[in-house]
Structures are given as structure tokens and as C-alpha cells.
Amino acid sequence: MYLFSADGDLVFGQLPMVEIDGMKLVQTKAILNYIAGKYNLYGKDLKQRAMIDMYSEGLRDLMEQFLVLCILSPAELKTRLENIQAKATGRYLPVYEKVLCGSQYLVDDQLSCADIHLLEATIMLEEKFPEILTNFPNVKAFQGRMKVLPTIHKFLQPNSMRKPQPDEFYVTTVKKVFHKLFS
Ligand SMILES: N[C@@H](CCC(=O)N[C@@H](CS)C(=O)NCC(=O)O)C(=O)O
């Protein structure tokens, strides 16, 4: 069963879909890249854009690991969390720690969408592993600088548009929807 909407707005029968500037955009990367371009968060030239994409994709690979956490069994959850922690500390955080040594931002001297992804990833990681940034002081300092930027500070306040961690009600609803779709 596919999620095709009656008006055909879900072009591939999938979410997310964002309505922006008269378009109904699907495909996460297309959405993110459009927003990054529109708000000057996508570098000054092709090479910077390539670097921004490279750092962003690494973070997306890491953050994708979190997607199904709320529907795993306790045993699966334990294994998955161990795996995330190992990958984060062994593969991903060392890269960003090195790039941020002496640099304010990941690419060039200006804020880009890669920085936003890194901030989000660090917050997600700390929600599960509160001490995880202890050995990554440059990343921790970067997180502190990012959190006080006015729009980001506002976004991180309770009841903002940032999704809270899934609670029991959310998990039950997701399971019911998936059960309806796929049974
Ligand atoms: N490549 C797409 C994948 C989107 C995707 O898998 N969406 C899921 C929900 S998170 C979905 O709609 N699944 C239903 C389906 O594929 O039939 C993107 O990055 O936006």
C-alpha cells in the first residue's frame, strides 16, 4: 500500500512534503538543499557546496540510525545504541573535531547547513549519551556557540517546533499507523 494523496502532491507516495514558495517539494535532500540555498546556508561556490554536502551526508548517515529507535525491542535497542555510540565516537565525531580545530564553522568562515546538521546531531547524541562530547572539546564548544544564535536559541526552547523525543503515545500511534498501512 502506498501513501499517494488524492491530489497527487506526494509525488513518490512518500513523506516528508514541504510547501514552500509555491512548490510542494518532496525528497528530503531536495527540501533541505532548497532551504539552504534560499537562506544563504549553502556556500559561496561549487567546491564549498561539495564540502557542505560531504559533511552533511556524514551526519545524515549518523542521524538515520536514530530513526527507528522508538519501535525497537529492549534487546534490539541496546544493540542499536551501542552501535550508534561506537560509530559516533569512532567514525564521525573525530572528523568534526579535527575540522573545528581553529575554525568557527565547518566550511569557510560562514554558517552553512552542515553546521546546523552538526548541531542537531550533537543534541541527538547527548540525549542518549550525555557525556559523549567529553573527548571532543572543539565540537562541544561549537555546540555552545551555535546554541546561542538567536533563531537557534528560540528553536531549542520547550514547545518550539522542534520535535520532542517520542513518548509512549507517539510510539503507540506510529505502530497503529504502520500496522494499518502494511497489514
Ligand atoms: N528518499 C526519500 C525517502 C522518504 C521516505 O522513505 N519516507 C517514508 C516516511 S519517513 C515513507 O513515506 N514511507 C512510505 C513508503 O515508502 O511507502 C526522502 O529522503 O525523503
Side-chain angles (χ1 to χ4, degrees):
M1 179 167 185
Y2 296 105
L3 290 170
F4 288 112
S5 57
D7 46 18
D9 291 339
L10 301 182
V11 177
F12 301 111
Q14 293 178 314
L15 295 168
M17 189 271 277
V18 170
E19 292 197 56
I20 184 167
D21 297 342
M23 294 180 290
K24 290 177 177 170
L25 277 181
V26 298
Q27 288 294 348
T28 310
K29 279 187 206 168
I31 295 166
L32 291 176
N33 291 346
Y34 182 78
I35 294 171
K38 180 176 163 98
Y39 293 103
N40 199 24
L41 296 167
Y42 209 8
K44 293 188 198 120
D45 57 37
L46 205 52
K47 282 190 176 171
Q48 286 188 3
R49 201 173 301 170
M51 297 304 287
I52 290 169
D53 283 340
M54 185 180 85
Y55 291 131
S56 298
E57 286 305 304
L59 293 161
R60 277 167 51 84
D61 285 348
L62 173 62
M63 288 190 281
E64 269 173 15
Q65 304 292 313
F66 285 81
L67 277 181
V68 292
L69 287 186
C70 67
I71 55 168
L72 297 181
S73 70
E76 290 169 330
L77 179 64
K78 183 173 177 293
T79 310
R80 175 66 73 110
L81 283 175
E82 283 167 3
N83 191 271
I84 291 176
Q85 189 172 21
K87 282 234 174 84
T89 54
R91 176 180 290 176
Y92 295 105
L93 288 171
V95 171
Y96 299 100
E97 179 68 12
K98 198 168 160 195
V99 178
L100 288 169
C101 177
S103 290
Q104 187 100 338
Y105 302 108
L106 287 174
V107 178
D108 199 30
D109 56 358
Q110 69 170 40
L111 184 72
S112 75
C113 58
D115 298 303
I116 312 284
H117 290 312
L118 179 56
L119 173 67
E120 181 67 23
T122 61
I123 292 172
M124 288 167 75
L125 284 169
E126 284 189 324
E127 282 169 351
K128 298 292 175 206
F129 319 103
E131 305 302 324
I132 196 162
L133 297 184
T134 306
N135 293 327
F136 301 97
N138 295 328
V139 175
K140 185 71 190 167
F142 163 87
Q143 189 200 52
R145 289 194 300 275
M146 293 288 287
K147 276 184 172 177
V148 294
L149 297 178
T151 44
I152 291 177
H153 179 74
K154 197 169 158 204
F155 183 67
L156 294 177
Q157 297 313 300
N159 302 320
S160 78
M161 285 176 74
R162 184 170 190 265
K163 293 257 183 282
Q165 293 218 59
D167 58 14
E168 196 76 13
F169 175 74
Y170 176 87
V171 174
T172 316
T173 311
V174 167
K175 282 183 177 165
K176 268 191 208 149
V177 170
F178 275 105
H179 185 72
K180 262 195 203 148
L181 276 176
F182 298 110
S183 62

